[in-house]
Amino acid sequence: MSDQKLRSVTLRRTEEGRFVATNPHGAAVELGTGDDVFSPVELLLAGIAGCTGMDVAAITARRAEPESFEVSITARKERDDAGNHLADLEVVFRVSFPAGEAGDAAREVLPEAVTRSHTRLCTVSQTVERATPITVRIE
């Protein structure tokens, strides 16, 4: 795989129930158990919301800067014979644009931008929707 296509994160345990994920650029995020950190499931949801939100913002902001821009995502954690998984994922956009011609143009393209992100552009949601296999190994 070429370096331009490769994406990676390294996870390091810092203490019981706490981990730090670091990307190749040095950005880090703490995760684990407890009320003061994101859980891995919440990070997955944030990845979906962040990916699609960034797509939609890039498309609509070419027409007008939003007055407000919020993306929320919910899911229900299920446990069944197939194991733990999320069900009923729902992404909701709450976006407003200023009055006027530019805001009208942004409002007009918003539904198409959301659809394009969901069906093609957002790598994270496309990966989840396709149920991409994961290879696990021990070194």
Side-chain angles (χ1 to χ4, degrees):
M1 190 178 322
S2 77
D3 286 345
Q4 292 178 343
K5 292 185 177 185
L6 183 66
R7 302 295 185 267
S8 67
V9 170
T10 300
L11 185 75
R12 182 176 45 83
R13 183 178 188 263
T14 57
E15 62 182 278
E16 183 178 350
R18 298 295 174 126
F19 301 83
V20 172
T22 307
N23 71 12
H25 309 290
V29 61
E30 186 178 8
L31 65 143
T33 58
D35 293 335
D36 60 338
V37 293
F38 276 91
S39 73
V41 170
E42 291 166 337
L43 286 175
L44 174 65
L45 296 176
I48 295 169
C51 183
T52 194
M54 291 169 68
D55 289 342
V56 171
I59 294 167
T60 58
R62 291 183 198 139
R63 283 113 180 128
E65 279 297 313
E67 292 180 328
S68 65
F69 192 102
E70 181 179 283
V71 182
S72 64
I73 182 169
T74 57
R76 195 178 66 251
K77 186 175 178 181
E78 295 285 327
R79 177 181 291 189
D80 57 26
D81 293 340
N84 296 338
H85 60 95
L86 296 177
D88 301 327
L89 279 79
E90 182 180 42
V91 178
V92 177
F93 283 82
R94 291 177 198 87
V95 184
S96 66
F97 297 99
E101 197 172 305
D104 291 344
R107 275 185 289 282
E108 184 177 327
V109 76
L110 179 62
E112 178 188 340
V114 169
T115 298
R116 283 181 57 206
S117 177
H118 178 71
T119 61
R120 183 160 182 80
L121 299 176
C122 177
T123 304
V124 180
S125 62
Q126 282 294 299
T127 301
V128 171
E129 292 254 9
R130 293 179 187 194
T132 303
I134 300 171
T135 301
V136 179
R137 61 189 171 91
I138 298 171
E139 291 185 346

